[in-house]
Amino acid sequence: MRKMWGLITNEYIKIFSRISTIIMLIAIIGLAVGYNGLMYLSGQATVYNSFYEPTDYYREQIQFEQQNKQPGWETRIEMYTFLLDNTFTDNDWRGGAVYEAYALKEIANAPSIDTPEETDTPDGTDAPDGTDTPDGTDTPDGTDTPDGTDAPGGTDASDGTDTPDETGTPDGTDPDGAPGAKERTEAQAGFDTIITAVKNDDWKGYLNYQIAQMNADEDMTQEEKDLKSWIIQYRISHDIRPDYLLYSQDDKPRDNWQNKTLFRLENCVSMLNSELRLPYADRDHKKVAALNEAVLIDKHRLVNDIPVATQPDNPEIDQMGATFANNSFWSIFTTSARAISFVSVLIIIVAGSAIASEFSGGTVKFLLINPVKRWKILVAKYISVLSVALLMLLVFYVFNALLTGLFFGFGDIGAPHLYVSGDTIQSTSSFVFVAWKYLLGSIDLLTMATLAFAISSLTRSSALSIGLGVFLTLSGKGATLFLGESFKIDWARYLIFANTNLNSIMTRTTPFLGQTVSFALMVIAVYVLVFWITAWDGFVRRDVK
């Protein structure tokens, strides 16, 4: 063991005595500076135009409706005129409410379900165009029978509803989708309620209307209603307006974190309900689990007043808005693990020269005259390469944390990481969560280092082994992505480059359906074994001249 430690120490001395290693460490720090600097400049260049007034759009839509005159065009012109007169921003809840109100008005203004030739006279009998006789029944030309019901080709039944061959159904609606009298009346009442709330900026009245509509919705399950009702009642009891965007022109938060979390929670509930309505076999069960987890975490944050928290990655959910503000410490630091692939290129330089430099520099003979077996020298070199790779990753992690704080502030540095274990919410440090992401990224780093190490054992030129290692890494990843996304070639999942990005596999953002972490680790293990056997054969059994 002492000899092995001596060999490893000797390798560290060789590695860190090279100017190239010092340059690489500086490059890693520069990469952290560049990443955070670009994110900062990108954030400064972004304008959150919450107070955009789409007046030109409304005028264009009015002109479009006047020219095309599709069914309901007059109602839509009235809507755009109303929006134009009030110029609500796209942030204001009233803008969306107006669209909802006028959709109801289109229903209320829909044509009558009665056919023109069967209009009633004021006394309730049919017009003289061939319907009722003086005794109130229809003539034999195809209307009511004496008992007040429809004849085979007749019209209204005694209960006032239409038979199937007519327009309305017994519930007052039209079989071909046209609204019945009851539906039109309810739509008009809904329109009046929403417009009154909009004019008075009565967002609580609008939310109460939504609760009433939801309770009357027979398609929603009680569980769905309870959760949706909880969200709305939380808004009302905590006085949180249902406005949409969260930033003003000066990039200052206009609404609190609770508003953003509530919108995210509403979207998660909507997506979850859509999945649960599908037959069990057709559901995306991983998506259902992720949505359930997001709902539990968001409710936990709201109930326990946790303004900022990180949580497990899921792109389908994250696109609805993160659990922290844009351009904040955690929004930047949690994504810095994406840059680990650049560190992989740097470690290839170390691994690619580990053995080849001994042959190209002629020092291999002095190395082998020591009374130590070749395989021990090989293991010492490999351990030193891997440990240097992890050291580079640690440097990148630390400097990213420091620079992210300097660029974006350390205000949210104590934010917890929330995740679901069983049915309960668990909490840990968000630094541990990001470190875990870096650790998953290290698999790519160590695998590429092993590949470069194997190449180094086969060549006598450091330049060739480094160049070949970098080329295979970059081109291999690009080619694998191309095969999977463009050509849908499934066997490409067995290539090493399709399995090293475990962060992508965990978030299901790879081009290969059903790719799992366990499968990826098995594929990586096979390749690493092959790389190691290649390195062992190229160094231990190789003749030295």
Side-chain angles (χ1 to χ4, degrees):
M1 180 61 69
R2 183 177 299 176
K3 288 184 179 181
M4 177 63 72
W5 177 247
L7 290 172
I8 294 174
T9 303
N10 185 54
E11 290 302 321
Y12 284 143
I13 293 172
K14 289 180 182 179
I15 291 173
F16 287 104
S17 65
R18 297 172 190 158
I19 299 297
S20 59
T21 303
I22 306 302
I23 293 174
M24 281 188 289
L25 289 173
I26 294 173
I28 289 173
I29 297 172
L31 178 62
V33 173
Y35 173 79
N36 287 280
L38 287 174
M39 296 300 290
Y40 179 78
L41 293 175
S42 175
Q44 292 296 308
T46 303
V47 177
Y48 293 90
N49 190 11
S50 299
F51 294 95
Y52 165 66
E53 297 179 358
T55 53
D56 290 339
Y57 171 76
Y58 296 150
R59 292 191 181 96
E60 290 172 0
Q61 291 302 308
I62 289 173
Q63 184 179 8
F64 174 82
E65 295 293 347
Q66 288 173 337
Q67 292 174 349
N68 290 272
K69 295 186 177 180
Q70 295 295 318
W73 67 278
E74 292 172 313
T75 303
R76 289 191 291 275
I77 286 179
E78 182 183 340
M79 177 185 70
Y80 290 120
T81 302
F82 183 89
L83 290 167
L84 191 60
D85 292 341
N86 291 276
T87 59
F88 300 124
T89 68
D90 58 355
N91 180 24
D92 200 313
W93 70 271
R94 291 172 292 184
V98 169
Y99 279 94
E100 181 182 349
Y102 277 91
L104 292 172
K105 189 166 186 178
E106 282 196 49
I107 296 174
N109 291 342
S112 171
I113 61 173
D114 290 332
T115 53
E117 70 276 8
E118 291 176 356
T119 56
D120 290 339
T121 56
D123 62 354
T125 60
D126 285 338
D129 51 345
T131 52
D132 287 352
T133 57
D135 62 356
T137 61
D138 280 349
T139 55
D141 57 354
T143 51
D144 288 345
T145 57
D147 62 356
T149 59
D150 280 350
T155 54
D156 291 340
S158 58
D159 60 359
T161 59
D162 290 340
T163 55
D165 58 325
E166 289 296 320
T167 52
T169 56
D171 61 357
T173 59
D174 197 356
D176 61 4
K182 180 180 178 182
E183 187 177 357
R184 292 198 304 274
T185 301
E186 291 176 347
Q188 182 63 47
F191 169 82
D192 294 337
T193 299
I194 295 174
I195 290 299
T196 299
V198 167
K199 290 179 178 179
N200 297 326
D201 195 14
D202 179 17
W203 59 269
K204 290 186 179 180
Y206 172 67
L207 293 182
N208 282 320
Y209 166 78
Q210 286 191 321
I211 291 178
Q213 292 300 109
M214 177 188 64
N215 290 333
D217 188 348
E218 297 180 355
D219 293 331
M220 292 182 67
T221 65
Q222 189 59 46
E223 183 180 5
E224 295 169 354
K225 291 180 181 180
D226 290 343
L227 187 52
K228 184 72 173 177
S229 178
W230 185 90
I231 295 171
I232 296 175
Q233 292 294 348
Y234 186 94
R235 281 193 180 281
I236 295 174
S237 61
H238 290 77
D239 201 32
I240 303 172
R241 286 172 60 93
D243 292 331
Y244 301 102
L245 299 183
L246 299 175
Y247 292 88
S248 58
Q249 289 175 328
D250 59 357
D251 195 20
K252 300 297 183 182
R254 192 169 79 83
D255 292 316
N256 58 27
W257 65 272
Q258 294 164 308
N259 197 23
K260 190 172 187 178
T261 304
L262 285 167
F263 276 117
R264 173 187 164 93
L265 183 56
E266 287 174 332
N267 286 329
C268 286
V269 171
S270 177
M271 293 172 64
L272 180 60
N273 291 340
S274 297
E275 284 292 328
L276 294 179
R277 288 191 182 99
L278 296 174
Y280 185 83
D282 296 336
R283 296 176 191 171
D284 186 337
H285 295 286
K286 288 186 177 180
K287 184 177 180 180
V288 169
L291 288 168
N292 272 317
E293 182 177 72
V295 168
L296 289 173
I297 290 175
D298 285 343
K299 288 188 67 176
H300 178 82
R301 291 180 59 225
L302 289 166
V303 171
N304 294 278
D305 193 26
I306 304 175
V308 181
T310 61
Q311 62 188 72
D313 295 331
N314 189 299
E316 294 172 339
I317 299 173
D318 293 341
Q319 65 186 356
M320 294 184 284
T323 54
F324 27 71
N326 293 320
N327 296 323
S328 65
F329 180 88
W330 291 110
S331 69
I332 304 301
F333 188 41
T334 53
T335 58
S336 63
R338 299 173 184 173
I340 292 177
S341 57
F342 293 101
V343 183
S344 298
V345 175
L346 295 177
I347 196 60
I348 286 174
I349 298 174
V350 176
S353 61
I355 299 176
S357 62
E358 300 284 3
F359 287 93
S360 60
T363 57
V364 66
K365 293 180 181 180
F366 299 101
L367 184 64
L368 297 180
I369 61 174
N370 291 316
V372 179
K373 293 182 179 181
R374 284 195 185 189
W375 70 265
K376 290 186 177 182
I377 297 174
L378 182 68
V379 170
K381 285 182 173 293
Y382 186 62
I383 291 174
S384 64
V385 167
L386 296 188
S387 58
V388 168
L390 293 175
L391 175 63
M392 289 183 173
L393 196 62
L394 178 62
V395 170
F396 189 57
Y397 176 89
V398 171
F399 274 88
N400 261 317
L402 292 174
L403 290 165
T404 301
L406 291 175
F407 276 103
F408 301 98
F410 293 97
D412 298 328
I413 197 170
H417 175 70
L418 303 176
Y419 63 97
V420 177
S421 178
D423 293 327
T424 61
I425 302 296
Q426 302 294 329
S427 176
T428 186
S429 169
S430 288
F431 281 104
V432 174
F433 168 62
V434 179
W436 172 248
K437 290 167 68 73
Y438 272 69
L439 187 60
L440 291 176
S442 70
I443 300 298
D444 177 59
L445 192 73
L446 300 180
T447 304
M448 294 303 103
T450 306
L451 171 61
F453 189 76
I455 295 173
S456 178
S457 71
L458 298 176
T459 64
R460 294 180 180 271
S461 169
S462 295
L464 178 60
S465 61
I466 292 171
L468 188 58
V470 172
F471 172 77
L472 288 175
T473 299
L474 298 180
S475 62
K477 290 182 178 180
T480 302
L481 189 65
F482 186 70
L483 290 172
E485 289 190 346
S486 300
F487 291 98
K488 309 298 181 185
I489 297 178
D490 190 65
W491 59 258
R493 71 172 64 239
Y494 295 100
L495 298 176
I496 182 62
F497 306 105
N499 297 277
T500 55
N501 192 341
L502 296 185
N503 280 307
S504 294
I505 293 173
M506 289 188 70
T507 56
R508 297 186 296 163
T509 54
T510 67
F512 304 102
L513 296 176
Q515 191 89 332
T516 63
V517 172
S518 57
F519 173 83
L521 290 175
M522 287 190 291
V523 172
I524 290 171
V526 172
Y527 274 94
V528 167
L529 180 61
V530 172
F531 294 156
W532 174 249
I533 292 174
T534 301
W536 182 86
D537 186 70
F539 182 79
V540 175
R541 300 178 59 183
R542 186 175 189 177
D543 293 331
V544 179
K545 298 180 181 179

